[in-house]
Amino acid sequence: MKKQLFLLLTACAALFTACNDDKTKDTTNMKPTITEKPFGVLGNEPVTQYTLTNANGMQVSIINYGGTVTSIITPDKDKKMGDVVLGFDSLAGYLQKENPYFGCLVGRYGNRIAKGKFTLDGKTYQLPLNNNGNTLHGGLKGLDKVIWQASKPAGDSSLQLTYTSPDGDQGFPGNLKVEVVYTLTADNALQIAYSATTDKATPINLTNHCYFNLSAGKEGTILNHEVTINAAKYTAVDTLLIPTGLLPDVKNTPMDFTSAKAIGKEIAAVPGGYDHNWVLNKNGTTLEKVATAYDPTSGRLMEVLTTEPGLQFYTGNFLDGTLHGKDNRVYAKHAAFCMETQHFPDGPNQPAFPNTILKPGEKYTSVTQYKFSVK
Ligand code: GLA
């Protein structure tokens, strides 16, 4: 009898453990979710914040103003969750003119166009000059400053944003229909898939401008983050960051990130800090890993995969401690870095650079992933 009772109890204990194990381990059955909440009003238009959560509990929040990523919450090596992007707590923060493109979508042409001028099919176009006599990030009111239409395609892991930029918008030709799909994958990647069509030939170069600090606020700067960029060359620029057309080798220069190097190691030798386009070692438009960033303090690793030929690595050189961000945090110089996947700056005026002109009947596509893990 005693033996039978013992066996019964053992069986019950085993069953209990199995069930319990199921509960703690089985994240695979947890469904990804998207929730939404109001994030202020612009004019008469409500702005909404969408939060994507995957089965691992990773969360990405995006507002439909500028298609802006407002937070990316990932675990550190001790499984403690933290927000790895800079931003603001409220819409007012994002609307202020000092907002340095925190987390937003950038277009129609990310990066600079020299003197805001280009010639297409014999016609010269003039864009607004918003950066030392040049055009930066699509002009005075680029895709970062408009409200996108949001919808949730099936599956609850993606947010689709669409926007039509009318013919002549910021001086660019053609009605440009843009679609961006943000997906939070099961393996902790934020994927951004861009596509666009036009009814007149026009330059296009879409990107995202997240400012990353993988320590999630523990480190005031990213100078100790270790970075790799799979690129043998970069586009040399003049003092106003306009490409000269030369593609110098990174070898034996502070621009060499072909093996892991702390951002701060040689930054002093780069006037102003890093703010350059690297010519990625890749052919064609397959999605490939092109860069990594690792924060030794938190153990967070971010891998960047893209279909694009270039990467603007920018080390927050213009942050100066005057902006008050989330949780009233002060963002000092080099508080974060950006890895903006892109075509090269001033593409429309540099015939030797990869083509940036989209024609009617063609479809522009571009995919980038920021993938998070720990080591
Ligand atoms: C880009 C540019 C920088 C700077 C930031 C925004 O990364 O290359 O020079 O303008 O955007 O502050």
Side-chain angles (χ1 to χ4, degrees), residues 146-218:
V146 300
I147 295 192
W148 294 63
Q149 287 297 323
S151 62
K152 296 180 265 181
D156 275 352
S157 55
S158 296
L159 179 73
Q160 182 190 50
L161 299 172
T162 54
Y163 183 75
T164 300
S165 167
D167 189 11
D169 188 11
Q170 303 299 299
F172 287 99
N175 292 294
L176 187 76
K177 287 189 178 169
V178 189
E179 179 191 284
V180 175
V181 180
Y182 280 109
T183 303
L184 178 55
T185 69
D187 62 349
N188 287 6
L190 174 61
Q191 172 171 289
I192 315 175
Y194 309 80
S195 58
T197 54
T198 182
D199 56 7
K200 281 183 194 163
T202 189
I204 182 167
N205 192 27
L206 305 179
T207 191
N208 172 277
H209 214 297
C210 275
Y211 281 70
F212 299 99
N213 181 324
L214 300 179
S215 77
K218 286 213 178 97

Side-chain angles (χ1 to χ4, degrees), residues 18 22 141 151 171 177 198 208 227 232 269 275 290 366:
D22 257 34
K141 191 177 178 190
S151 62
K177 287 189 178 169
T198 182
N208 172 277
V227 160
D275 191 359
V290 297
S366 172

Side-chain angles (χ1 to χ4, degrees), residues 23 26-32 53-57:
K23 257 190 206 146
D26 192 6
T27 50
T28 47
N29 289 333
M30 270 174 64
K31 291 241 163 58
T53 306
N54 71 5
N56 313 316

Side-chain angles (χ1 to χ4, degrees), residues 100-101 111-112 131 136-137 209 211 241 275 312 314 318 338 340:
Y101 300 91
N111 219 311
R112 293 169 177 79
N131 191 257
L136 175 68
H137 294 336
H209 214 297
Y211 281 70
L241 302 176
D275 191 359
Q312 184 84 8
Y314 167 61
F318 301 118
C338 304
E340 304 155 56

